[in-house]
Amino acid sequence: MTEKELRKLKRGDFLQLLLAQSKEMAALQARLEETVQELTQLRASNERLNAQNELIEELKGNLDSKNATISELRQEIEALKSGKQSEPEVPPAEDTPEPEPTQKPPVKRTAKQPAASTPKKKRPAYPAKVAKLINKVRKRGKR
């Protein structure tokens, strides 16, 4: 409306027009507040998702490096196995007796001696290269 048309309006019409505009303004203000609140929630959610995405990417990188390490170690093991199988086995001499397992005599405990802790399991003897690989894997697992 132009200024001339507003001056021609009666007082009652003018008040009705102002009332309608104020109601529309209140409705628009409420809608704006809802939209701002929704936007704030979406931004917070987006930040959480971005942080999770970064973590996932980091974990993917870790997984890829672990998979590469595993495949390298498998290749080394296969190479060792194939190298071990290609070497002819030498049977023990028939006149050489097999060594008997040694047994330790039982330890007598006195009242002052505490009970000895149980001995650790002995790991099987591996060829030097395989043992080296196993130790490498264990060290990487501790990181």
Side-chain angles (χ1 to χ4, degrees):
M1 289 185 133
T2 64
E3 196 173 317
K4 284 184 182 182
E5 291 174 338
L6 283 175
R7 288 186 183 169
K8 289 182 183 177
L9 286 177
K10 295 181 182 176
R11 188 174 185 167
D13 294 334
F14 184 70
L15 288 174
Q16 282 182 342
L17 181 64
L18 285 176
L19 183 62
Q21 283 184 344
S22 67
K23 286 180 182 179
E24 184 180 350
M25 184 68 148
L28 289 174
Q29 186 67 32
R31 185 174 171 203
L32 175 66
E33 289 173 3
E34 289 174 6
T35 305
V36 167
Q37 188 177 24
E38 185 179 338
L39 177 65
T40 304
Q41 290 173 349
L42 289 174
R43 283 185 177 161
S45 175
N46 191 27
E47 288 176 11
R48 284 192 308 270
L49 290 174
N50 284 340
Q52 288 175 351
N53 192 28
E54 289 173 8
L55 182 61
I56 287 171
E57 291 301 319
E58 181 182 335
L59 291 174
K60 279 182 184 178
N62 289 347
L63 182 61
D64 290 342
S65 68
K66 297 292 182 184
N67 284 338
T69 303
I70 288 170
S71 66
E72 288 173 12
L73 292 174
R74 283 183 178 161
Q75 289 173 355
E76 288 181 33
I77 288 171
E78 288 300 317
L80 289 174
K81 282 182 179 178
S82 65
K84 183 179 177 183
Q85 290 174 355
S86 65
E87 296 174 5
E89 292 186 24
V90 178
E94 292 181 20
D95 59 348
T96 307
E98 291 185 18
E100 294 181 12
T102 58
Q103 293 181 351
K104 293 182 180 178
V107 177
K108 294 181 182 179
R109 293 188 205 135
T110 63
K112 293 181 181 179
Q113 288 180 326
S117 62
T118 58
K120 292 184 177 180
K121 278 188 174 179
K122 288 189 177 181
R123 296 184 179 149
Y126 293 108
K129 289 182 179 179
V130 175
K132 193 174 184 181
L133 269 174
I134 291 172
N135 287 334
K136 213 187 249 188
V137 169
R138 285 187 182 137
K139 286 179 183 176
R140 287 182 183 164
K142 289 180 182 179
R143 290 182 188 170

